[in-house]
């Protein structure tokens, strides 16, 4: 019985720490860049008169 408990516990954490860190940082980067892209895109109906947050930089698309 103890064999099954110890074998399952050893295999539960098969991912390395670096893989987890890369996954978490990738998710944070994707969420941040997606939020910036959404805020700089055309406003959805009903949001045309809303102000842009101060933390989002203005991007000049006329170049």
């Amino acid at each position: 019985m103890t064999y099954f408990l110890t074998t399952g516990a050893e295999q539960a954490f098969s991912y390395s720490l670096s893989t987890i860190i890369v996954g978490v940082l990738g998710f944070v980067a994707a969420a941040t860049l997606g939020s910036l892209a959404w805020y700089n895109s055309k406003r959805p109906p009903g949001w045309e008169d809303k102000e842009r947050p101060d933390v989002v930089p203005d991007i000049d698309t006329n170049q």
Side-chain angles (χ1 to χ4, degrees), residues 2-61:
T2 58
Y3 172 74
F4 293 117
L5 294 175
T6 57
T7 304
E10 290 172 359
Q11 293 177 356
F13 299 105
S14 61
Y15 294 112
S16 66
L17 182 62
S18 60
T19 304
I20 294 171
I21 290 172
V22 167
V24 169
L25 289 178
F27 176 78
V28 169
T32 302
L33 293 175
S35 296
L36 286 172
W38 183 81
Y39 277 120
N40 284 313
S41 67
K42 183 179 180 236
R43 299 280 182 235
W47 287 62
E48 293 92 354
D49 59 343
K50 301 296 181 196
E51 290 292 324
R52 178 173 291 165
D54 293 335
V55 295
V56 178
D58 290 329
I59 297 176
D60 185 22
T61 58

